[in-house]
Amino acid sequence: VTFFPAKLTLPAGDSATFFCNISIGSDSGSEYSLNWYKETNHSQPQKIAGISQNNPQTKTEKYLLTNHTPAFKIEILNLHQNDSGSYYCGLITFYEPDKVMESSRSHLVVTAAPEKTNATDEPEIEEDNPLDHAKAVLLGILLLAGVVVLLIFGYLTVTYGRGDDKSPTGVSLQKEEKPPVVSVSTVDYGVLEFQCDQCTQVPPETWPVNQTEYATIVFPEEKPTTPK
């Protein structure tokens, strides 16, 4: 019968696992059971758990035993410092009632549970988190409002600056139209004089049929006239 590991050092709250291996001839046909014992400061050993040959698993509030023949596992749950001590297993065979085979001792040391660092600082951090969150939300709202104002200002600037003939109120300004210039025509009357060389008047009945006469038109110098 062997028992291992030889030594374990674990903190409180953890679990310790030991294994007990047995060796029995396959032709013996014997029935057996396995017990676990604890010793403290070389005191009288105390039985803490046991499992039979045909039982696959046994569990109590403190111990969990599992049958993996020829290996048996024992787990010591939720360790406390008073669980420190020496442990071993004992094989009891029923065909020889007086025969008990014990394994070697393994030592278990349970240390104090590790202290939680910064345990007192955690509540303060939790208290500050809501305030920081509120500040972040407020800052985001202010930034969003600033962006909206800039967009509105840009829209108004583009809208009112498109046309030169529009006033800020959107009413088009009409230019004053000057009255049309009316031209006044003037008529200058003159006298058309015909100069005739000395010639004899020919009676009408003696005029030739295709006679052509020419006249010279003389225009006097222009004088300013006032239209009536």
Side-chain angles (χ1 to χ4, degrees), residues 69-136:
T69 306
F72 292 82
K73 180 175 70 173
I74 179 172
E75 295 179 66
I76 307 172
L77 310 174
N78 191 21
L79 292 175
H80 297 283
Q81 286 187 298
N82 57 6
D83 290 325
S84 299
S86 297
Y87 292 84
Y88 65 97
C89 62
L91 175 65
I92 303 174
T93 56
F94 295 106
Y95 67 94
E96 295 181 4
D98 297 333
K99 186 174 181 180
V100 177
M101 292 180 288
E102 295 182 355
S103 68
S104 59
R105 271 62 170 168
S106 295
H107 194 62
L108 173 64
V109 177
V110 180
T111 60
E115 296 181 359
K116 294 181 179 180
T117 57
N118 298 329
T120 58
D121 296 339
E122 292 179 357
E124 295 180 0
I125 296 174
E126 292 177 357
E127 291 178 0
D128 293 339
N129 286 337
L131 182 60
D132 294 339
H133 181 69
K135 290 180 179 179

Side-chain angles (χ1 to χ4, degrees), residues 9-179:
T9 301
L10 297 169
D14 208 342
S15 298
T17 301
F18 291 98
F19 293 91
C20 185
N21 283 357
I22 63 174
S23 178
I24 297 179
S26 58
D27 56 346
S28 62
S30 61
E31 295 183 2
Y32 58 89
S33 65
L34 203 64
N35 293 338
W36 278 267
Y37 302 92
K38 176 186 176 182
E39 286 182 350
T40 304
N41 296 328
H42 303 285
S43 62
Q44 182 68 26
Q46 296 179 354
K47 178 184 175 181
I48 57 174
I51 188 172
S52 62
Q53 175 184 0
N54 299 319
N55 193 358
Q57 190 177 73
T58 299
K59 183 178 181 181
T60 64
E61 184 178 354
K62 188 67 178 177
Y63 305 101
L64 174 62
L65 286 70
T66 306
N67 184 351
H68 299 292
T69 306
F72 292 82
K73 180 175 70 173
I74 179 172
E75 295 179 66
I76 307 172
L77 310 174
N78 191 21
L79 292 175
H80 297 283
Q81 286 187 298
N82 57 6
D83 290 325
S84 299
S86 297
Y87 292 84
Y88 65 97
C89 62
L91 175 65
I92 303 174
T93 56
F94 295 106
Y95 67 94
E96 295 181 4
D98 297 333
K99 186 174 181 180
V100 177
M101 292 180 288
E102 295 182 355
S103 68
S104 59
R105 271 62 170 168
S106 295
H107 194 62
L108 173 64
V109 177
V110 180
T111 60
E115 296 181 359
K116 294 181 179 180
T117 57
N118 298 329
T120 58
D121 296 339
E122 292 179 357
E124 295 180 0
I125 296 174
E126 292 177 357
E127 291 178 0
D128 293 339
N129 286 337
L131 182 60
D132 294 339
H133 181 69
K135 290 180 179 179
V137 172
L138 180 60
L139 181 60
I141 293 174
L142 292 176
L143 290 176
L144 181 60
V147 172
V148 172
V149 170
L150 289 176
L151 290 176
I152 294 175
F153 179 76
Y155 173 76
L156 294 177
T157 302
V158 173
T159 301
Y160 291 139
R162 283 181 179 175
D164 295 335
D165 58 343
K166 292 185 179 180
S167 64
T169 57
V171 180
S172 60
L173 300 178
Q174 297 181 354
K175 297 181 180 179
E176 293 184 1
E177 295 182 359
K178 294 182 180 180

